[in-house]
Amino acid sequence: MKLRFLGGVGTVTGSRHLLSDDNRRLLVDCGMYQGVKNLRRRNRAPFPVEPSTINAVVLTHAHIDHSGYLPALVKNGFKGRVYCTRATHELCKVLLPDAGYLQEEDAKYAFRKGFSKHDRPEPLFTEKDAREALKHFESVHYHETIEPVKGFEVWFTPAGHILGSSCVHVHHKGSDRTVVFSGDVGRQDDVIMRPPEPIGKADVLVCESTYGDRLHGETDPCEELADIIARTAARGGLVLVPAFAVGRAQMLLYLVHRLILQQKIPKLPVFLNSPMAIRATEIFIHHHKEHKLSQADCELIDDNTHYVRTADESIDLNTRRFPCVIISASGMASGGRVLHHLKTLLPNARNSIVFAGFQAPGTRGDALVNGAESVKIHGDYWPVKAEVHNLESLSAHGDYQEILQWLGQGSLDPGKVYISHGEPVASDIMRKRIHERFGWDTEVPELFDEVDV
Ligand SMILES: [Zn+2]
C-alpha cells in the first residue's frame, strides 16, 4: 500500500491523503486551502490525481479545510462514495452548500466592486455543485467497519475535536497493514467535547500538529472572557467574537450564558449571527449523546440566544450601539457576516474583538491578533482601535502536551509516524517531541511525497 501527501503539509489547511494499491485509490479528507493567497491559489490548480480514478473518499470531520474541496472533486469527475460519521454528514449538509454560496457571492462582489484581478471572477464551485456532492455521501457509526474500496477496511473512532470528528483507521487486507489518520485532535478536557479515544493499533500514524510548538497555558480562559466582556460592557462597548461556525460557536454560546448565570458578567443580549452556526447549533443540540452538555445546558443556549437569520436582521444588528455579545463566523475573519461587524466595531476603542482559536497565517484574524493597525475588508482599509484578544486556550485542538498524553494512552507502537496539518515549525517541533517521548520513527513529509506503508 502507498500513501501520498496531497495537502495539509506545512500548513493547517487543505488536508488530503491518498492511499492506494495496484488497483484502487482511497482519498482520506478532501480539504480546501484557506489563508494566504499562495495557498488559496492551490485550490485552483488541477487536483494532483485525476478525480475519476479515485474510488472513494473518507472524511475525518466536516470542517472546510478537510471537506471543502469535495464539490470541486465531484464537479471534476469523481464518481465514488464519500463515507463519514452521521454528525459529519449532517454538518456537511450545512457547510458545503454554504461554502458554494460564499464562493458565488465573493465572485459576484469582486466583479461588482471591480477589485478582482480577473475579468469575470469564477467561483471554485457553486451551491448547486455542493448539493450534487452531497448525493455521494454515506454515513457510518463510530467503530463500524466498512469496506469503501475493495481491500481497504475502514473504521472511525471519536477524536473529540468537533461533533462527528474522528480518527480514520484504514486496514489494507492485502498487506495486513493499518494506517491511522488522527484528523484534528481535540482537547483532553474540553468544555463541550469528550476527550479523543486512544488509538489501539497502527502500523503507520499520520498525526496533526496545529499546536506542535505551543501550549494553551495555565490561565483560565473563562475568567479572561468574563473579564473582557464585563470591562467592555462597563464602558458601553460591544463584544464581537469571530468563531468557527461548527464547534467553537456552540462552546462560546455555552460559556457566555454560563457566565451570565453565574453573575460573572452582566445580563447582556447574546446574538448568534451566522445562519450556518445556527444550523450547526441545532445539529449540536440534536446529537446530545455525542458531547458533554446536558439537556439543561442545551436549553440554556437555545432559550437565551438571539438567532440572527436573515440579512435584514444582520444589517439591523450592525446598527446596534448598546453593549451586547455578537458571535459570528468565520472564525479567522476570512469571510462571512463577521466582516460587516468588524467594519463597524473595529474603529471604536470602546469595543472588543475576541478570537477563540488558531489563526492561520495570512488571515485577517492572524493580522488582528498580531497587532495590525488596520485591516483590509471588501477592498478598503479599516483602522483598528478596538481591543483585540485571542483566547487560544479555547481552541478545539489539543496542544502538544495533550497530543503526547493521548498518544501514550493506548498500546500504540507505530513503526512510522508522519506529521501533518501544521505550520512548518510546529510540525518539526512535534516530530522531535514524539520521537523523544516514544522513540518512534517520526518524519515530516513534503507535499506530494509518496511512501510505502
Ligand atoms: Zn477541524
Side-chain angles (χ1 to χ4, degrees), residues 32-60:
M32 202 197 281
Y33 281 102
Q34 294 162 307
V36 294
K37 197 162 196 173
N38 280 354
L39 285 178
R40 281 182 284 132
R41 211 165 18 214
R42 288 189 193 168
N43 292 320
R44 299 282 175 172
F47 200 72
V49 296
E50 176 56 40
S52 63
T53 65
I54 298 168
N55 300 95
V57 177
V58 287
L59 298 180
T60 59

Side-chain angles (χ1 to χ4, degrees), residues 61 63 65-66 161-162 184 397 421:
H61 66 293
H63 276 153
D65 56 326
H66 294 257
H161 167 63
I162 59 164
D184 288 358
H397 290 266
H421 201 281

Side-chain angles (χ1 to χ4, degrees), residues 270-416:
V270 179
F271 296 91
L272 181 60
N273 185 11
S274 156
M276 190 168 51
I278 294 170
R279 280 290 296 125
T281 304
E282 288 163 357
I283 294 168
F284 181 81
I285 291 172
H286 179 72
H287 287 262
H288 58 90
K289 286 188 185 145
E290 288 190 29
H291 56 73
K292 280 179 165 178
L293 297 195
S294 66
Q295 192 81 27
D297 295 331
C298 290
E299 280 167 18
L300 178 71
I301 294 175
D302 210 29
D303 295 347
N304 296 292
T305 304
H306 300 276
Y307 293 129
V308 182
R309 294 175 197 272
T310 67
D312 283 345
E313 286 171 318
S314 176
I315 292 165
D316 201 40
L317 177 61
N318 210 17
T319 60
R320 191 185 167 94
R321 296 292 173 265
F322 301 105
C324 64
V325 177
I326 301 171
I327 299 172
S328 187
S330 72
M332 300 187 202
S334 45
R337 288 183 180 178
V338 77
L339 295 185
H340 298 283
H341 292 302
L342 280 173
K343 288 198 283 190
T344 310
L345 300 180
L346 276 176
N348 190 325
R350 276 191 316 198
N351 304 320
S352 294
I353 318 295
V354 185
F355 289 89
F358 189 81
Q359 302 299 316
T363 57
R364 287 187 194 86
D366 180 58
L368 284 165
V369 301
N370 283 305
E373 285 175 9
S374 66
V375 282
K376 195 176 181 184
I377 304 173
H378 298 146
D380 289 316
Y381 281 93
W382 301 84
V384 180
K385 300 275 189 254
E387 271 183 40
V388 178
H389 302 268
N390 190 15
L391 304 186
E392 274 196 76
S393 51
L394 292 176
S395 166
H397 290 266
D399 61 23
Y400 69 79
Q401 229 161 37
E402 290 171 291
I403 298 222
L404 290 174
Q405 192 184 337
W406 170 64
L407 292 175
Q409 279 166 353
S411 49
L412 195 61
D413 189 15
K416 186 86 188 186

